[in-house]
Amino acid sequence: DIQMTQSPSTLSASVGDRVTITCRASQNINSWVAWYQQKLGKAPKLLIYKASNLESGVPSRFSGSGSGTEFTLTITSLQPDDFATYYCQQYFSYWTFGQGTKVDIK
Amino acid sequence: QVQLQESGPRLVKPSETLSLTCSISGGSISNYYWTWIRQPPGKGLEWIGYIQNSGSSKFNPSLKSRVTISVDTSKNQFSLMLRSVTAADTAVYFCARPMTPDQTDGFDVWGLGTMVTDSS
């Protein structure tokens, strides 16, 4: 099984901050990574696919990068609507999710 | 626009079988990997398994011995059965669809999710 190790587990930030979340895969997964945003009581929302491709309708302040085993989600200027939990996911071999990063108000 | 809706009992007795159905609207049950994912309260997401319209399926090895996923193309539905339920199976269960047919991909379509609780 491919493991996805996400960090940090919690991140406190202010509106306007630049936020970076990291995910490390247990083996080379090329660029087969997606990122999701999940708000309380809702289904996850796809933000990024294939490591760096922005899903349609997602604001351009979200970006993804990386390949191989190291991946990053960046929010360039945090907005009030962005306080949520974020998950990485590999789909090189079926699907595995990271443990999640909760972004809360500093 | 394709939409998914989970349905089924919200309470399941220990050792019994959890059964959920996902109804697809706004599109046909074509060549996608129709998937079940779950999320225990306060925890992360776990892939359970998928089925294709052909009936071909794959499961998470950690659940494989207890899971069956079936498809009914005439009703545009697919279903999950999880046997021998324990408290550890209490979770929100989502059905979802990857972006691209016939391959693993990010999930761009999700159901709202349904909370299933072990009745113990």
Side-chain angles (χ1 to χ4, degrees):
Chain A
D1 291 9
I2 298 174
Q3 307 302 318
M4 300 295 284
T5 303
Q6 190 173 338
S7 61
S9 56
T10 306
L11 188 161
S12 296
S14 302
V15 172
D17 284 354
R18 180 185 180 92
V19 166
T20 299
I21 299 168
T22 298
C23 212
R24 176 175 295 170
S26 59
Q27 68 181 71
N28 184 349
I29 56 171
N30 297 325
S31 297
W32 302 117
V33 164
W35 290 93
Y36 297 85
Q37 177 193 69
Q38 188 180 32
K39 296 185 177 179
L40 198 63
K42 302 292 188 181
K45 174 187 175 183
L46 180 66
L47 300 174
I48 302 285
Y49 61 96
K50 206 173 178 184
S52 60
N53 293 271
L54 195 66
E55 170 70 343
S56 175
V58 174
S60 58
R61 63 181 180 272
F62 291 92
S63 64
S65 63
S67 66
T69 61
E70 298 281 341
F71 301 91
T72 299
L73 174 71
T74 300
I75 311 171
T76 53
S77 178
L78 197 67
Q79 298 301 301
D81 191 48
D82 301 338
F83 292 99
T85 300
Y86 293 85
Y87 293 93
C88 62
Q89 176 204 51
Q90 68 82 19
Y91 51 95
F92 177 83
S93 175
Y94 304 117
W95 296 272
T96 314
F97 294 87
Q99 304 96 316
T101 296
K102 183 178 181 181
V103 177
D104 62 20
I105 300 174
K106 190 172 185 179
Chain B
Q1 180 166 343
V2 173
Q3 293 184 316
L4 306 179
Q5 177 66 61
E6 303 89 350
S7 60
R10 304 298 179 94
L11 284 177
V12 182
K13 293 180 180 178
S15 79
E16 295 195 346
T17 297
L18 178 159
S19 295
L20 295 173
T21 295
C22 183
S23 299
I24 304 162
S25 59
S28 67
I29 191 162
S30 49
N31 299 336
Y32 289 89
Y33 292 1
W34 300 99
T35 299
W36 288 98
I37 292 165
R38 71 180 183 178
Q39 184 172 36
K43 296 188 177 180
L45 298 154
E46 180 181 36
W47 170 66
I48 300 171
Y50 75 78
I51 193 163
Q52 295 178 269
N53 60 346
S54 63
S56 175
S57 58
K58 294 289 184 184
F59 307 111
N60 187 321
S62 68
L63 297 169
K64 185 177 181 179
S65 64
R66 298 194 291 132
V67 172
T68 301
I69 299 178
S70 59
V71 64
D72 188 335
T73 55
S74 66
K75 294 183 178 179
N76 241 26
Q77 294 177 338
F78 61 106
S79 298
L80 168 70
M81 292 178 60
L82 179 64
R83 295 175 291 278
S84 303
V85 162
T86 70
D89 296 311
T90 292
V92 176
Y93 286 76
F94 295 100
C95 54
R97 191 205 75 177
M99 299 174 63
T100 306
D102 287 323
Q103 64 183 63
T104 58
D105 208 331
F107 295 102
D108 64 337
V109 181
W110 293 73
L112 297 177
T114 188
M115 180 71 191
V116 180
T117 304
D118 161 64
S119 62
S120 63

